[in-house]
Amino acid sequence: MRALLNESWLTASLVLVVLGLTIESVPLLGLGALVLGAGGAARLWSRLSLEDVGYRREVSEHRAFVGERVQVTMHLSNEKVLPVPWIEVRERLPDDAPVTDGRTSPAGTPGFVYLTRTTALRSGDRLEWPIELRAITRGYHRMGPARLKSGDLFGLFEREEYAGGEETLIVYPRTYPLEDLGVVSARPFGEHRGGPRIFPDPIRVVGVRDYIPGDPLKQIDWNATARAQRLQSRLYEPSREHALIVALDVMTLEHTWEGSDPVLLERAVVVAASIARDAFDRKSAIGLISNGALPDADRPVRIGAGRRPDQLTRVLEALAGTNPFAMHPLSSELERRGEALSLGATIVVVAALMPADLAATLQRLTHEGHTVHIIKTSEQIWEQSVGSIPVTEVATRMEVLEEQAALEDETQPWTRSRVQVVRVGS
């Protein structure tokens, strides 16, 4: 209907001009020419309305923890001589990082909302809209692109375009001191008992030697074997660096078709993040194995143990994006040793359930020399025995922490968004 009205000016002006010429009426001819000129000017104005109009989004932080605030500033400018009589900016923001003060509307895409601002721009105008987002849910939250819409002074013609691109805000899960979770030992997982241990580092190969019965199959160097015409095993450089692998099981219900318990999943992610952060602070090399996958990924999470400055960031980013869909049983991921599960590493399993296959795998790992510790996140009674593997239950303590966190989120004051207009060249 709007398009029909927008095009009616041309028909109306032509009718008036033809009618004026037919009956030789100067007023009708003049009116037709006026409508034709005004309509043409309006259409040209609408086409130029977004020319040299700049928009960008400035985000103070692209990474935050749950509960933190992120400042976002929307910058709008008009660098041309022609003024913009009206312009609508519709910014797409994540629903899980709401604006602290501002009216938003649902977007057509699930998980997003629109923040709409309307203003006018004179020549050289530059506007800034500072807003604040609350990170209330862990995850990868995308914002943008923004839709700019403008037109002529009469609102007959409109022009739209997208600007600002897309950006991602990564919200890390909450972390707590292990004492708050009920893990109170000065050496919570016994990693340094008996002094520093020496393990072969599978990443640092220093040579080969003849195969000795009992060498693991993965230690055999097949290229060297082919050259020497006899079995050759790799020699690894010894390492004193202790490695702690957090093994996260995203399964919260016995069958995948039952779905997932969101409370237990978030609890497990928070516990896993807290353990990784504590171990990194204790100067341990940390890694992560999970049967959950990252957004838009088709494989489970596997991060080899390391002490690089960004190692904790990598682990927290993986935990931030962990989804509830299990790619495989956690036991299958632990059976795939590789670099993500180095020899002699301490394995801390975070799980709500204990299926028979996982219990059997963990006991095999202990027999191979790994120190295994289980963090139980549910109150469910496990029927499977894990033998002598220590189990720490954190469900009761986590319920208290979750209630406190929810109360803090409700009582935190919200700040008010403001609009700052800077006019130059006027």
Side-chain angles (χ1 to χ4, degrees):
M1 185 66 179
R2 185 179 184 85
L4 181 62
L5 292 175
N6 289 344
E7 298 301 331
S8 63
W9 68 274
L10 182 58
T11 302
S13 60
L14 292 177
V15 169
L16 289 174
V17 170
V18 172
L19 185 61
L21 291 174
T22 303
I23 64 176
E24 298 181 353
S25 172
V26 176
L28 284 180
L29 186 61
L31 181 60
L34 180 62
V35 172
L36 182 63
R43 172 164 285 245
L44 178 61
W45 198 337
S46 70
R47 289 186 176 181
L48 297 176
S49 60
L50 294 181
E51 294 293 327
D52 295 323
V53 171
Y55 177 83
R56 64 184 178 89
R57 181 190 317 102
E58 183 180 358
V59 184
S60 62
E61 297 288 342
H62 286 86
R63 293 171 176 81
F65 282 91
V66 169
E68 293 183 344
R69 311 294 180 94
V70 176
Q71 305 298 323
V72 178
T73 305
M74 304 157 59
H75 297 269
L76 185 66
S77 63
N78 178 27
E79 303 296 339
K80 62 179 180 294
V81 176
L82 186 69
V84 180
W86 64 274
I87 184 170
E88 178 187 271
V89 180
R90 177 172 286 188
E91 179 63 271
R92 193 175 75 156
L93 299 172
D95 193 22
D96 287 331
V99 179
T100 57
D101 184 45
R103 186 171 298 177
T104 58
S105 59
T109 306
F112 292 94
V113 295
Y114 284 131
L115 177 68
T116 304
R117 293 287 187 267
T118 304
T119 186
L121 295 172
R122 295 187 303 182
S123 175
D125 269 359
R126 296 179 182 176
L127 279 66
E128 296 180 0
W129 283 299
I131 61 176
E132 186 180 68
L133 304 182
R134 277 181 78 217
I136 62 173
T137 306
R138 68 165 180 91
Y140 288 25
H141 306 309
R142 292 180 174 84
M143 59 185 75
R147 189 191 71 175
L148 307 182
K149 183 167 71 172
S150 184
D152 63 281
L153 181 64
F154 309 107
L156 296 176
F157 306 101
E158 294 180 351
R159 179 182 173 186
E160 293 183 5
E161 65 179 36
Y162 290 92
E166 291 189 2
E167 295 184 74
T168 300
L169 171 64
I170 301 177
V171 179
Y172 300 145
R174 297 179 188 268
T175 60
Y176 296 99
L178 295 192
E179 292 78 5
D180 292 350
L181 306 182
V183 184
V184 296
S185 171
R187 295 282 185 261
F189 307 114
E191 61 267 27
H192 297 298
R193 181 176 54 195
R197 296 177 290 181
I198 300 178
F199 303 108
D201 190 334
I203 301 178
R204 302 168 182 171
V205 180
V206 295
V208 295
R209 59 166 172 78
D210 288 341
Y211 172 81
I212 298 175
D215 286 348
L217 186 63
K218 64 182 179 181
Q219 190 174 336
I220 297 177
D221 189 321
W222 295 106
N223 291 330
T225 296
R227 290 193 298 269
Q229 295 299 306
R230 61 182 182 274
L231 287 176
Q232 299 288 295
S233 295
R234 298 186 186 94
L235 281 175
Y236 301 118
E237 179 181 342
S239 173
R240 289 180 178 269
E241 183 178 59
H242 171 257
L244 184 143
I245 306 297
V246 179
L248 172 63
D249 191 354
V250 300
M251 288 286 295
T252 55
L253 299 175
E254 293 185 3
H255 306 286
T256 55
W257 52 264
E258 293 179 299
S260 176
D261 185 326
V263 174
L264 288 181
L265 176 64
E266 295 307 311
R267 180 180 300 169
V269 171
V270 168
V271 171
S274 301
I275 293 171
R277 191 170 190 175
D278 179 86
F280 192 78
D281 291 341
R282 294 175 185 268
K283 310 302 181 184
S284 293
I286 61 172
L288 176 67
I289 294 177
S290 175
N291 54 346
L294 295 178
D296 303 325
D298 58 354
R299 60 185 183 275
V301 176
R302 296 180 70 86
I303 300 177
R307 274 287 311 165
R308 297 186 307 179
D310 65 339
Q311 184 73 359
L312 181 60
T313 299
R314 294 178 61 207
V315 171
L316 291 178
E317 286 183 359
L319 291 173
T322 299
N323 62 50
F325 305 106
M327 304 291 291
H328 307 285
L330 182 61
S331 59
S332 300
E333 294 306 314
L334 291 174
E335 293 289 355
R336 290 177 52 211
R337 310 302 165 85
E339 295 181 0
L341 190 55
S342 55
L343 296 175
T346 294
I347 304 170
V348 182
V349 178
V350 181
L353 306 175
M354 183 52 62
D357 58 339
L358 180 57
T361 296
L362 296 181
Q363 293 186 47
R364 281 196 296 272
L365 290 172
T366 59
H367 295 155
E368 294 176 6
H370 292 279
T371 298
V372 180
H373 198 111
I374 301 173
I375 305 295
K376 182 183 177 184
T377 58
S378 69
E379 297 178 347
Q380 180 178 343
I381 298 175
W382 289 351
E383 297 180 358
Q384 294 295 329
S385 172
V386 294
S388 60
I389 300 175
V391 179
T392 301
E393 298 188 10
V394 299
T396 302
R397 300 292 290 269
M398 283 301 302
E399 287 179 357
V400 175
L401 295 174
E402 289 160 0
E403 291 176 0
Q404 292 176 352
L407 183 60
E408 291 176 0
D409 290 342
E410 292 177 358
T411 57
Q412 280 185 355
W414 287 12
T415 60
R416 181 169 297 276
S417 300
R418 59 189 175 86
V419 177
Q420 178 182 357
V421 180
V422 180
R423 300 187 183 275
V424 296
S426 54

